[in-house]
Amino acid sequence: MLSNNHNNSPPTPRTRLERLLRERELRRSNRSSLNEEAHSLGEFNSYDLFSFSGDSCGSFNEEDILEGVSVVKDIIDGFQRLEGRTSKQRLLVVANRLPVSAVRKGKETWHLEISVGGLVSALLGLKEFEARWIGWAGVNVPDEVGQRALEKALAEKKCIPVFLDEEIVHQYYNGYCNNILWPLFHYLGLPQEDRLATTRSFQSQFDAYKKANKMFADVVNKHYEEGDVVWCHDYHLMFLPKCLKEHNRKMKVGWFLHTPFPSSEIHRTLPSRSELLRAVLAADLVGFHTYDYARHFVSACTRILGLEGTPEGVEDQGKLTRIAAFPIGIDSDRFIRALKLPQVQEHIKELQERFAGRKVMLGVDRLDMIKGIPQKILAFEKFLEENPKWRDKVVLLQIAVPTRTDVPEYQKLTSQVHEIVGRINGRFGTLTAVPIHHLDRSLDFPALCALYAVTDVALVTSLRDGMNLVSYEFVACQASKKGVLILSEFAGAAQSLGAGAVLVNPWNITEVAASIGYALNMEADERERRHLHNFMHVTTHTSQEWAATFVSELNDTVVEAQIRTRQIPPLLPINEAANSYSRSHNRLVILGFNATLTEAVDALGRRCGQIRDMDLKVHPDVREPLKKLCDDRNTTVVVLSGSDRSVLDENFGQYNMWLAAENGMFLRPTKGEWMTTMPENLHMDWVESVKHVFEYFTERTPRSHFELRETSLVWNYKYADVEFGRLQARDLLQHLWTGPISNASVDVVQGSRSVEVRAVGVTKGSAIDRILGEIVRDKGINKPIDYVLCVGHFLAKDEDVYTFFEPDLPSEVPQTVPNPLPPPKMPNNGAPPKSARLKKQRSLSIIERRANSHGSAVFWRPVVQDRLSLHEGSSVLDLKGDNYFSCAVGRKRSNARYLLVSSNDVVKLVKELSECLESSVS
């Protein structure tokens, strides 16, 4: 048991949740002390972007992670260092745009201005880390002199530029990002009608997108230092995690999306859907504003890529990418302090005098299609129509910040808004007052804070919005007024502020108009309760807390990933396996079939089609080298598969090898006849009832199918809808256990997309000993097997074939099961070679153990004239540890010693072994 050396120290956190909670408390205590210090020194300048102070979030040294207790100890030590560390962790914030705009004043002179935007607003208050911001400065700088001068100027702001030329910007930013991804993620769909030219040039835009992401990655790699955290932002950089991980697998990479992520049905219309998803999954941690967006992303990975979604994230062959929701916040203290400034107080006084006697409603939006400005104004018009008494008592102030003014769609939107505003003002206005004040410009920070402070009702009617921080800013400035927030349910902020806000569907004009009336007439005590609820959330879920939580989770995710990595088998050293093969004298090569010797799925995950995939064929590139192995007299090749006999006959009948069908229950040399290794008393009376169940669920589940084999039945839903298939599989299992197999001696084996019912004890490992015995008898082997290679894409139930050959496993020799015949005498006068390290004997199968417990001698009996001893097959093994290679194909969670990624790697392995034979002959 690990103990804390400091008697007065709190107990050391041992779980991830405990560690994160402790770090949260540490951050809060550090922030409190920093705030006290800041107040004693005076107000700090918010716009000095990265002049931060404060303790850093904890990080763990990747090289110190060891297995077992040492792993836990390293994590604990790393956390304890967190409490006492004085240096700040470096954070590389990578976004499309830097938080400054650069204007060139001379050949070597640049003027920098602070930019506005949601991400900039959120990170202005970030004080926890030593941050560097990497991004595009928004200008084309073709000459090296200008680039060096800009780099120097930006370095003072702790910013690092990425230089993009005009063509890249046009294709990557204006093209792919703004015309493809942004509309799609906001449910506007892919370009249609007059924008079909964009669709025709899609591939060039996508190529530019990947090229731009690679340019960002090059800058990050140049400035990266070991231990840094790289935080990638938004849809502009979805390819960046993949580029970074390909360069340095140990890099800590997080990716956060500031827009909504659409449902899988929307995302699947994107031609590059799979590439983008896989690129994002290269990150260690993927963050979204809300659980809905995270759920959509996991669903897209499940439905489009066929990966497994878990409560933690998305798993791909043992590699887990954590997916989580991190609602962004603002630097609320900055707004609260600003209200006390004389400049803001003066603005407040002016506004109160200007709108005396009238309720003030406020909208602050970008002039964008998704912000719902026309819907907001039309709802206000309907309210004035239905409530004449309010026409001279309320005013709507709409701040519409222009954006993308050169795009026709935005120009059309601007004209539409102006037309509606003019019509309403002409209809309900007077000589002295108008109901709507519309401004096509942004306001400076003091004026904006003052406007928030005097507002009675804030109106946010986004049609689709990632978060919408305007609602947060309004709440932060309402300590005195305690105004009402009307908030669209399609804004991400509705998930956080929904309890205190009045939620509306912006498409329902009548509902929004009624909500305006409800808000204006709301009693003071209800307004106060609603405001206090939202104010508490805004002041606790700040941008500092958001960033610190994300990086803290990222650090912890990397630690957990390192622990999981220790449990994943290493890649097979093909050269080492080939060298051992060439040095050995009697080799046994056991190969699976499906996903081992068949053709692999292509790099993009595209399937050849259900009909073609169901027709299993040997990989064309493995046929010739496999034949060379089979023709070698010192090599015995066995294809061990769950497929039925006809499939193996069709694919391997021309080879000189052994075929073991239906998990080894049927066996034959390709030059002989089929025999069975099944127990004599194996009951199969359950087959008909299970068959009826499988037929029923096949009819109910489109694109599913089932196979009726001689020893098992398999229902496969690989090609069905993933989620529906899983629901059907669950119902099928419940029906099986409560009906047809409730009292039957069967095993139910669940694959990733299949359910198999087979007789108890039917596994590849339980059959391999008898298979070996028959091979020894048939071939007349006169020397022990000193090399075993076992490769396959086997179900977990069948991975006992890997452990069967492990030389260092203790043998389990039954004491009460009678041996019908003594083991046959080995050649060489019956004496085993002196070099033999171990004579391996396998564990009893389930059937044998059950038979033993009932006092009856039941053995696996091949249909041959003489009965073999129980352990005759294993008695011919003379394996040393370095001469046994078990290898799982495409399964990172495995009992095998090694891993091969796909059947293409199996082809390389078989070719390498065949080349060893050719070199030994020459």
Side-chain angles (χ1 to χ4, degrees), residues 88-311:
K88 291 175 285 188
Q89 185 177 23
R90 286 205 347 155
L91 175 64
L92 302 182
V93 179
V94 192
N96 176 63
R97 286 295 299 270
L98 291 172
V100 294
S101 295
V103 180
R104 193 164 191 172
K105 296 296 185 180
K107 187 175 181 180
E108 299 185 20
T109 308
W110 290 88
H111 174 68
L112 305 180
E113 293 182 354
I114 301 299
S115 302
V116 294
L119 178 57
V120 178
S121 174
L123 294 180
L124 274 175
L126 184 63
K127 311 175 185 70
E128 303 287 333
F129 312 98
E130 181 185 344
R132 299 286 188 278
W133 199 309
I134 298 175
W136 177 48
V139 292
N140 179 33
V141 189
D143 58 299
E144 294 185 4
V145 175
Q147 291 182 3
R148 286 195 298 268
L150 182 57
E151 287 178 343
K152 183 178 179 181
L154 289 171
E156 298 177 1
K157 295 293 184 182
K158 298 188 177 180
C159 294
I160 303 167
V162 177
F163 295 106
L164 304 175
D165 59 51
E166 290 183 353
E167 179 60 22
I168 287 288
V169 171
H170 176 68
Q171 293 270 18
Y172 146 73
Y173 181 68
N174 297 327
Y176 196 77
C177 292
N178 288 340
N179 282 344
I180 302 293
L181 291 182
W182 189 91
L184 189 79
F185 283 11
H186 288 88
Y187 290 79
L188 300 179
L190 292 173
Q192 299 292 335
E193 298 172 358
D194 58 329
R195 291 196 289 171
L196 281 177
T198 302
T199 304
R200 288 197 296 269
S201 61
F202 170 83
Q203 189 57 49
S204 63
Q205 292 180 359
F206 185 53
D207 292 340
Y209 180 84
K210 291 190 288 186
K211 182 178 180 180
N213 276 246
K214 182 64 169 63
M215 294 169 72
F216 275 86
D218 291 340
V219 176
V220 173
N221 294 331
K222 179 180 177 181
H223 292 86
Y224 174 81
E225 297 176 5
E226 186 176 356
D228 288 354
V229 170
V230 182
W231 192 0
C232 312
H233 287 270
D234 230 358
Y235 58 93
H236 311 88
L237 302 175
M238 295 181 75
F239 241 81
L240 186 56
K242 179 176 182 286
C243 297
L244 295 175
K245 284 291 189 176
E246 286 177 348
H247 181 266
N248 184 350
R249 292 180 59 189
K250 293 184 178 181
M251 190 180 292
K252 300 177 184 178
V253 179
W255 182 79
F256 190 89
L257 182 65
H258 292 267
T259 69
F261 192 89
S263 71
S264 60
E265 290 304 305
I266 298 293
H267 183 76
R268 73 189 309 161
T269 62
L270 187 66
S272 56
R273 59 194 186 182
S274 299
E275 286 184 89
L276 289 178
L277 290 176
R278 290 196 180 277
V280 171
L281 289 174
D284 300 293
L285 176 63
V286 175
F288 299 90
H289 283 309
T290 71
Y291 172 73
D292 283 348
Y293 306 157
R295 177 171 54 85
H296 289 161
F297 181 81
V298 173
S299 177
C301 293
T302 301
R303 290 176 175 272
I304 296 172
L305 300 181
L307 302 180
E308 181 181 354
T310 71

Side-chain angles (χ1 to χ4, degrees), residues 679-681 817 847-849 851-852 856-861 870:
E680 291 179 349
N681 67 338
V817 178
I847 287 183
E848 291 164 342
R849 285 199 293 268
N852 182 32
S856 59
V858 179
F859 304 98
W860 297 98
R861 290 190 173 94
L870 183 63

Side-chain angles (χ1 to χ4, degrees), residues 471-763:
S471 55
Y472 279 64
E473 295 169 358
F474 166 74
V475 170
C477 295
Q478 282 287 310
S480 174
K481 196 88 170 182
K482 296 179 175 57
V484 182
L485 172 64
I486 298 178
L487 181 59
S488 167
E489 63 187 51
F490 299 116
Q495 302 289 328
S496 306
L497 304 180
V502 178
L503 295 183
V504 295
N505 177 0
W507 293 101
N508 189 336
I509 302 300
T510 302
E511 178 190 358
V512 178
S515 298
I516 292 174
Y518 179 72
L520 291 172
N521 292 293
M522 188 178 293
E523 296 294 332
D525 60 338
E526 183 180 350
R527 287 205 320 267
E528 184 169 356
R529 288 197 307 272
R530 286 176 177 270
H531 168 73
L532 288 177
H533 185 280
N534 284 346
F535 188 78
M536 181 65 68
H537 180 89
V538 169
T539 53
T540 55
H541 295 75
T542 62
S543 59
Q544 301 99 306
E545 189 67 25
W546 167 73
T549 300
F550 186 93
V551 180
S552 179
E553 290 265 7
L554 177 55
N555 279 321
D556 211 83
T557 298
V558 171
V559 172
E560 291 188 342
Q562 290 165 344
I563 298 173
R564 282 193 300 271
T565 301
R566 296 307 190 275
Q567 302 168 353
I568 297 175
L571 292 175
L572 175 70
I574 293 181
N575 290 336
E576 183 180 330
N579 291 336
S580 297
Y581 177 86
S582 61
R583 291 194 300 265
S584 57
H585 304 288
N586 193 11
R587 309 135 181 157
L588 174 64
V589 178
I590 301 174
L591 301 171
F593 180 35
N594 193 8
T596 303
L597 294 177
T598 55
E599 197 163 1
V601 177
D602 73 13
L604 297 181
R606 292 192 295 260
R607 302 182 179 92
C608 297
Q610 180 175 355
I611 302 301
R612 181 175 171 184
D613 284 356
M614 290 170 59
D615 185 18
L616 299 178
K617 296 294 183 183
V618 177
H619 196 300
D621 295 337
V622 83
R623 290 170 182 166
E624 184 177 343
L626 180 61
K627 187 177 187 305
K628 292 179 181 178
L629 291 187
C630 295
D631 292 341
D632 178 49
R633 59 188 179 87
N634 292 323
T635 301
T636 302
V637 179
V638 180
V639 171
L640 180 58
S641 173
S643 300
D644 59 33
R645 293 183 278 179
S646 61
V647 173
L648 298 189
D649 282 337
E650 179 183 352
N651 283 278
F652 301 101
Q654 71 274 27
Y655 296 93
N656 181 24
M657 61 165 58
W658 286 77
L659 304 178
E662 300 210 19
N663 301 303
M665 295 299 101
F666 296 96
L667 176 70
R668 84 170 178 102
T670 50
K671 298 179 180 179
E673 298 297 326
W674 284 102
M675 63 192 77
T676 181
T677 62
M678 289 190 295
E680 291 179 349
N681 67 338
L682 189 66
H683 296 292
M684 300 293 290
D685 50 359
W686 48 268
V687 171
E688 198 63 29
S689 56
V690 172
K691 176 185 174 184
H692 290 318
V693 175
F694 278 15
E695 287 176 340
Y696 173 71
F697 278 91
T698 299
E699 293 172 1
R700 287 182 56 190
T701 312
R703 299 192 69 185
S704 67
H705 64 279
F706 81 94
E707 299 176 55
L708 176 60
R709 301 171 181 170
E710 295 181 66
T711 59
S712 65
L713 286 91
V714 182
W715 182 67
N716 191 304
Y717 57 96
K718 175 181 178 182
Y719 303 98
D721 179 271
V722 177
E723 294 182 8
F724 183 63
R726 287 174 180 168
L727 290 174
Q728 293 292 81
R730 185 181 64 185
D731 290 347
L732 182 148
L733 288 170
Q734 288 180 335
H735 189 80
L736 286 176
W737 286 120
T738 57
I741 64 171
S742 56
N743 296 313
S745 297
V746 297
D747 282 331
V748 177
V749 184
Q750 289 183 257
S752 59
R753 304 281 176 82
S754 65
V755 176
E756 181 177 359
V757 180
R758 57 171 80 159
V760 168
V762 175
T763 68

